């Protein structure tokens, strides 16, 4: 396989809460859920710390236990990461650090995948089907009923900051709940709410993993479809997609055309060519 990775923080002065890693037979991408100003998360380490520990643990498990289900691998990684800070942090806090997860295992005959929360995996088929995006939209469905006050304010204003904090804290009540949405946090049971599947390896020409900061060019801004986005990545590399995202964000810094919690978001793209 041929692998290309690009990632960029939303702001140079803040840690990148997206995480990517790969081995010869596995790829993972995680997107940490940031804590807004004025909100607590019960953790002294922070989201970037959590995401990197969870990502490293997950990659190692997926790589070294090729016969173990991806859901079990994620559950193990969540448990192992929780153990690293159970003595110092309040893992029962509703804002305890969490992350979306995309994991792909490349076996000889099949490509296995797991998607939890709103990062995206795009499967590029060798036949006329074209690209197929796999994403978990439960968080978006829950959030649609709660984001009105945030979307009504101009990004960058004090009112928007307050509304964003209120939105995030309201969403916490629905996190890892049966009628809500699921993310990787401290409870390994969340792993079994993931979307999973497998595709014959011969049926695919590649797979692309994207955090929601990168996928927004397609799924929020609607400035390209998946076929166009993949063509851009193939021809110019994943940094080109991030460049297009940043250009769109800068054209709408107040969030009037595309209301959103963050004017700029961390971005991560992993392109695997088979």
């Amino acid at each position: 396989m041929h692998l290309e990775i690009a990632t960029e923080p939303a702001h140079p002065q803040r840690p990148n809460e997206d995480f990517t890693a790969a081995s010869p037979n596995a790829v993972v991408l995680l997107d940490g859920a940031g804590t807004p100003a004025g909100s607590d998360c019960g953790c002294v380490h922070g989201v970037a710390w959590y995401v990197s520990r969870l990502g490293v643990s997950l990659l190692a498990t997926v790589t070294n236990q090729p016969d173990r289900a991806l859901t079990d691998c994620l559950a193990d990684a969540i448990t192992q990461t929780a153990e690293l800070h159970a003595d110092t942090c309040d893992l029962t806090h509703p804002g305890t650090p969490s992350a979306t997860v995309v994991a792909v295992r490349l076996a000889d005959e099949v490509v296995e995948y797991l998607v939890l929360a709103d990062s995206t995996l795009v499967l590029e088929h060798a036949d006329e089907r074209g690209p197929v995006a796999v994403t978990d939209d439960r968080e978006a469905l829950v959030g649609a009923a709660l984001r009105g006050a945030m979307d009504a304010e101009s990004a960058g204003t004090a009112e928007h900051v307050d509304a964003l904090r209120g939105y995030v804290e309201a969403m916490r009540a629905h996190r890892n709940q049966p009628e809500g949405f699921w993310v990787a946090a401290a409870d390994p049971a969340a792993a079994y709410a993931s979307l999973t599947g497998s595709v014959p390896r011969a049926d695919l020409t590649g797979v692309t993993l994207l955090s929601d900061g990168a996928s927004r060019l397609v799924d929020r801004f609607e400035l390209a479809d998946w076929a166009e986005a993949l063509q851009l990545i193939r021809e110019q590399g994943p940094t080109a997609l991030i460049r297009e995202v940043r250009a769109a964000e800068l054209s709408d810094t107040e969030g009037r055309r595309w209301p959103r919690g963050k004017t700029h978001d961390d971005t991560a793209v992993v392109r695997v060519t088979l």
Side-chain angles (χ1 to χ4, degrees), residues 27 30 40 133 207 270:
V27 184
L30 291 77
D40 184 29
V207 298
V270 183

Side-chain angles (χ1 to χ4, degrees), residues 80-153:
Q80 292 163 10
T81 305
E83 291 172 350
L84 293 176
H85 64 144
D87 292 340
T88 57
C89 305
D90 179 8
L91 303 190
T92 67
H93 191 288
T96 191
S98 64
T100 72
V101 179
V102 180
V104 176
R105 179 189 281 142
L106 303 163
D108 290 339
E109 301 296 331
V110 299
V111 174
E112 303 171 73
Y113 64 83
L114 174 151
V115 178
L116 181 65
D118 60 0
S119 290
T120 298
L121 171 68
V122 184
L123 305 169
E124 189 169 358
H125 290 275
D127 59 22
E128 68 279 356
R129 281 176 291 179
V132 175
V134 181
T135 190
D136 178 358
D137 64 358
R138 286 171 290 187
E139 183 174 356
L141 293 175
V142 171
L146 300 173
R147 59 182 300 135
M150 177 181 67
D151 288 346
E153 303 294 343

